[in-house]
Amino acid sequence: GEDVEQSLFLSVREGDSSVINCTYTDSSSTYLYWYKQEPGAGLQLLTYIFSNMDMKQDQRLTVLLNKKDKHLSLRIADTQTGDSAIYFCAERAPRGGFKTIFGAGTRLFVKA
Amino acid sequence: DTAVSQTPKYLVTQMGNDKSIKCEQNLGHDTMYWYKQDSKKFLKIMFSYNNKELIINETVPNRFSPKSPDKAHLNLHINSLELGDSAVYFCASSQENRGVGPLHFGNGTRLTVT
């Protein structure tokens, strides 16, 4: 989507860390999300962060938020082949009735 | 126990036909959505209902008509199907009346129009 941008592809080796980046344009965004989509499945919520936080950690996942630069990142530690999927960044903002706007998704390839 | 379930999973039909996709959620959420995912995986919201009331209606052809008989169901009816309607349609739900909640998605309905 034009309001949320992500790089389309990322390739890493098993055991390495993956960092997926996202930029958004609406400074009033209140919630920022990361979703994972595996082939043939719907989107699964991985984690989310409130706009008044700058970091959130959940097991292998670390989310960093830089509000000044409107930049969000997802770090996956010790990446496994099962992490291969499409990762979507999404924002919710008061405009448009708290509509969730998705990025185009980053395709993560994990090589064994 | 599937939280958001949609049927059918696959739908193959010819141009000009009318078809429906059904969605049900058992999460007790008050808001439901239809999203369209194109072949490049881009997701775009189509409709949103809060407590059976339409609150988001994006620029979608009026051949698409959502219907929400109750809070737990949101169906999508498509008239006069066109080739460009081929996509994966996702139903989702969220809880909104106690703050903004994340979306919970169904597994999608892959619609192919020939």
Side-chain angles (χ1 to χ4, degrees):
Chain A
E2 60 187 13
D3 296 322
V4 179
E5 293 191 357
Q6 315 176 225
S7 53
L8 289 184
F9 299 98
L10 176 65
S11 179
V12 300
R13 288 206 181 131
E14 194 174 21
D16 288 350
S17 291
S18 309
V19 179
I20 303 172
N21 294 302
C22 170
T23 56
Y24 59 98
T25 55
D26 193 331
S27 56
S28 67
S29 291
T30 50
Y31 296 82
L32 294 131
Y33 304 92
W34 285 104
Y35 286 85
K36 176 183 180 183
Q37 185 180 28
E38 296 182 359
L43 278 73
Q44 170 198 354
L45 177 69
L46 278 181
T47 186
Y48 64 95
I49 190 166
F50 295 109
S51 57
N52 62 358
M53 298 168 66
D54 49 24
M55 181 178 123
K56 181 178 180 181
Q57 187 148 6
D58 183 1
Q59 298 181 337
R60 292 191 297 124
L61 305 179
T62 303
V63 178
L64 295 178
L65 174 61
N66 181 329
K67 275 197 78 173
K68 176 175 162 291
D69 295 339
K70 301 194 195 71
H71 182 266
L72 183 73
S73 68
L74 174 70
R75 179 176 179 269
I76 306 173
D78 187 25
T79 313
Q80 303 298 306
T81 53
D83 294 325
S84 292
I86 304 176
Y87 291 80
F88 290 91
C89 171
E91 62 158 356
R92 291 199 71 176
R95 63 175 166 82
F98 283 98
K99 195 188 305 180
T100 303
I101 306 294
F102 286 84
T106 299
R107 289 123 183 92
L108 175 64
F109 299 96
V110 182
K111 297 175 284 191
Chain B
D1 283 351
T2 306
V4 181
S5 59
Q6 45 184 120
T7 55
K9 187 170 171 66
Y10 300 98
L11 187 51
V12 181
T13 188
Q14 290 184 329
M15 277 197 310
N17 283 348
D18 303 339
K19 289 293 177 188
S20 291
I21 307 172
K22 294 187 175 182
C23 179
E24 176 181 3
Q25 55 95 5
N26 63 6
L27 295 166
H29 287 169
D30 58 7
T31 307
M32 295 184 73
Y33 310 78
W34 279 109
Y35 276 82
K36 179 180 179 180
Q37 187 174 46
D38 64 22
S39 58
K40 294 183 180 175
K41 304 298 184 184
F42 180 62
L43 267 167
K44 188 165 171 56
I45 190 167
M46 300 173 70
F47 302 103
S48 172
Y49 272 73
N50 176 266
N51 285 316
K52 303 195 300 173
E53 192 176 323
L54 181 66
I55 54 169
I56 294 176
N57 184 351
E58 290 295 287
T59 310
V60 177
N62 58 13
R63 298 182 294 105
F64 290 79
S65 52
K67 280 192 173 49
S68 181
D70 56 57
K71 261 181 21 172
H73 295 84
L74 180 63
N75 303 323
L76 183 65
H77 188 75
I78 316 170
N79 288 327
S80 304
L81 278 154
E82 299 177 359
L83 291 176
D85 297 332
S86 295
V88 181
Y89 292 85
F90 286 101
C91 178
S93 71
S94 66
Q95 182 61 28
E96 300 296 326
N97 69 357
R98 286 191 296 275
V100 177
L103 299 176
H104 294 255
F105 283 86
N107 283 331
T109 295
R110 181 175 294 277
L111 172 65
T112 304
V113 183
T114 61

